[in-house]
Amino acid sequence: SWQTNLPYIVENTLTVADGAKLTIASSAIVKFKGGSKLLVDGTLSALGEEGKQIIFTSISDAGYQGGYYIYFNPSSKNSVLNYAVVRYGGYHVNDFADRAAITVENTSTTIANSIIENNFFAGVRLINSTSTIQNTIFRDNKVQYSLWGSGSYSMGLSISNSAPSITGSNFERNYHGIY
């Protein structure tokens, strides 16, 4: 379990192993160095509280710094982000691939009462997922990430072959709200 008494710094790859659970306490701050990632093969339980959100951000918490991402693999089960703020994430892999700040692929997670803001490519990307998104604000995800095509600006939520449940959520000042 991660407590609230200091910021946690992810410098490279942090993996929550299949069958393991990482619990992050309310008010915790998780900072990512450029190019780092949190791979969730097990369970991530980030349970903030109103007024005591869990913050996921770049190392400087002052803008996009080369990117980071949180990736929920198919083996991930029962993961929850509640009262979390995810900002300055997303990652450019190469000319044909980018990562959202949060990617949920071939599994489902719950994102509730959270703020997803100022991310590169997408705030959240769902691929073959039936995730639940409740009372979440997607805002200011509008970074230009290429000079070609209509999809060259960030989006709040990217959905591919997915049927998520989205309730009580707002999309504000994103280049694409849901794409």
Side-chain angles (χ1 to χ4, degrees):
S1 292
W2 289 3
Q3 303 304 311
T4 61
N5 56 349
L6 54 102
Y8 294 90
I9 309 294
V10 178
E11 294 187 351
N12 202 336
T13 301
L14 174 64
T15 302
V16 179
D18 190 4
K21 181 177 184 178
L22 172 60
T23 300
I24 303 176
S26 61
S27 298
I29 299 171
V30 183
K31 292 187 171 191
F32 293 84
K33 287 193 173 181
S36 61
K37 56 191 167 269
L38 172 57
L39 302 178
V40 183
D41 296 331
T43 301
L44 175 62
S45 181
L47 302 176
E49 301 172 33
E50 189 170 0
K52 296 180 179 181
Q53 293 112 324
I54 297 167
I55 308 294
F56 295 92
T57 189
S58 67
I59 192 71
S60 70
D61 194 28
Y64 183 74
Q65 303 287 315
Y68 71 88
Y69 61 92
I70 302 168
Y71 188 85
F72 293 90
N73 284 304
S75 61
S76 175
K77 296 193 178 16
N78 304 313
S79 289
V80 176
L81 280 82
N82 189 35
Y83 287 104
V85 176
V86 179
R87 61 179 168 233
Y88 307 127
Y91 183 70
H92 176 72
V93 178
N94 58 44
D95 287 342
F96 303 101
D98 292 295
R99 292 274 189 219
I102 298 171
T103 298
V104 182
E105 186 167 7
N106 296 313
T107 190
S108 295
T109 191
T110 298
I111 301 171
N113 306 304
S114 294
I115 298 172
I116 312 295
E117 63 185 355
N118 294 299
N119 293 293
F120 176 84
F121 179 64
V124 175
R125 184 172 193 191
L126 303 177
I127 304 168
N128 300 316
S129 176
T130 57
S131 289
T132 300
I133 299 173
Q134 301 171 320
N135 305 320
T136 293
I137 298 170
F138 293 82
R139 67 180 173 210
D140 299 317
N141 298 289
K142 55 186 176 184
V143 174
Q144 182 176 7
Y145 60 89
S146 76
L147 298 175
W148 55 269
S150 63
S152 61
Y153 289 88
S154 297
M155 58 208 86
L157 176 60
S158 171
I159 299 174
S160 177
N161 298 321
S162 297
S165 171
I166 304 169
T167 57
S169 296
N170 293 317
F171 295 82
E172 305 168 358
R173 300 179 307 276
N174 302 288
Y175 190 82
H176 299 287
I178 300 175
Y179 189 84

